[in-house]
Amino acid sequence: MRGERAGHRPGPYSHSPAVAAPLVRLTLRSDSAAIRRALARVQAVLAGLHASGDSLAAVELVLAELLTNIQRHAYGGRPGQIELDLTLCAGEAICTLTDRGGPMPGGQLPPGDPAPIDVPMEALPEGGFGWFLIRSHASALDYRREGDVNVLTVHLPIVLSE
Amino acid sequence: MELTAQQRGDALVVRVEEARIDAAVAIAFKEAMRQATGGPQRRVVLDLGRVTFLDSSGLGAVVSVMKHLGPGRRLELAALTPNVAKVFRLTRMDGVFTIHGSVPDAASLRHAG
């Protein structure tokens, strides 16, 4: 995107001082091995802050879905780079993912309707669970196209134990 | 994708020996399961006790394995860890599969189903 960010944008919580400095900021290739490493890095950092098991699981699942979606759909399996920026603010992990792949269809995030399962076994869906799982966990989701860049921000509740 | 298959009672118990069924290994998992379940057993129990992470690709792969077994054969799940169980619950796939808290012993897998 535009190189280093000049300062921080105000967070969604006007009462909070400023968005904390990024906990994790990394650039990864859009391939499965790099995605696994990035997820492990985020888990290690949040575990070091004593994030609860449920919080860790939700962050890992949602980031896995979002990163895989960028790899498969925005980049269509082609090589590309993804920037991941994670902060904590007001009981939430706020993660911004940036890529230079294709835009979301229609310029919007998919609705993430639950996949239909009240169907005969042979008609059960083998996909279409990802956005549903993302939306099940996220407290906020924002997507925008800036030039040829996708910027997606997800907020996830984080419980830190003392 | 490392799996261990063992005949137990009348069922085939397939244990996933890895911690993750995710987008990186979903295809390998499906292929390994097709090889492991090539025999005649009508009942296959997938032991997920070691799996701590399952994403939507992994879930899709498990559904695919069940469909590939075809009519007359059953895929059951066992020993789901909490995070994996939650993915099945949220997507309501816990109502599609028979899910055992732990891997059933040989006696209960004999002449059942």
Side-chain angles (χ1 to χ4, degrees):
Chain A
M1 72 196 231
R2 316 135 300 245
E4 281 299 300
R5 237 181 248 177
H8 298 292
R9 290 191 200 90
Y13 302 96
S14 53
H15 59 273
S16 62
V19 176
L23 273 178
V24 180
R25 174 174 281 178
L26 47 88
T27 301
L28 61 142
R29 294 196 319 273
S30 65
D31 64 54
S32 300
I35 288 171
R36 274 193 174 186
R37 285 194 300 273
L39 294 172
R41 170 94 177 275
V42 169
Q43 291 289 291
V45 169
L46 292 176
L49 296 172
H50 307 291
S52 72
D54 283 350
S55 303
L56 287 172
V59 170
E60 180 166 30
L61 180 63
V62 169
L63 293 189
E65 299 294 343
L66 291 172
L67 291 168
T68 300
N69 189 63
I70 292 171
Q71 176 199 4
R72 287 185 178 167
H73 300 295
Y75 284 122
R78 295 180 301 277
Q81 280 200 338
I82 305 170
E83 289 170 35
L84 183 157
D85 184 314
L86 181 81
T87 63
L88 286 188
C89 181
E92 291 186 321
I94 304 170
C95 188
T96 299
L97 301 174
T98 308
D99 69 77
R100 292 183 170 273
M104 284 281 173
Q108 290 187 336
L109 294 173
D113 297 328
I117 61 160
D118 303 318
V119 295
M121 199 247 292
E122 60 273 15
L124 280 172
E126 296 175 31
F129 309 111
W131 281 102
F132 173 74
L133 289 171
I134 292 165
R135 290 189 181 279
S136 297
H137 290 90
S139 45
L141 264 178
D142 175 68
Y143 166 76
R144 59 190 190 278
R145 182 81 174 170
E146 296 183 352
D148 60 353
V149 173
N150 295 312
V151 182
L152 193 151
T153 301
V154 60
H155 294 234
L156 292 156
I158 287 278
V159 176
L160 302 178
S161 58
E162 292 307 317
Chain B
M1 187 81 194
E2 196 182 340
L3 305 175
T4 304
Q6 179 195 28
Q7 182 76 31
R8 188 182 289 196
D10 294 335
L12 181 73
V13 176
V14 182
R15 180 175 178 86
V16 179
E17 301 288 358
E18 298 184 23
R20 303 174 73 87
I21 307 178
D22 63 6
V25 298
I27 291 174
F29 169 75
K30 283 193 277 191
E31 288 174 358
M33 282 298 294
R34 284 174 195 189
Q35 288 186 9
T37 59
Q41 296 90 352
R42 298 174 65 82
R43 193 169 173 197
V44 176
V45 178
L46 183 62
D47 176 358
L48 292 172
R50 288 201 175 168
V51 178
T52 55
F53 183 78
L54 176 109
D55 66 6
S56 68
S57 300
L59 178 64
V62 173
V63 174
S64 171
V65 167
M66 177 178 67
K67 289 162 71 172
H68 187 259
L69 286 177
R73 302 182 74 196
R74 290 201 342 233
L75 181 68
E76 303 173 14
L77 310 178
L80 274 60
T81 61
N83 296 341
V84 171
K86 188 171 183 188
V87 171
F88 278 88
R89 193 168 64 246
L90 284 171
T91 56
R92 296 197 299 137
M93 279 292 171
D94 58 347
V96 170
F97 292 89
T98 298
I99 298 180
H100 306 278
S102 57
V103 180
D105 60 23
S108 61
L109 287 172
R110 195 161 287 131
H111 308 303

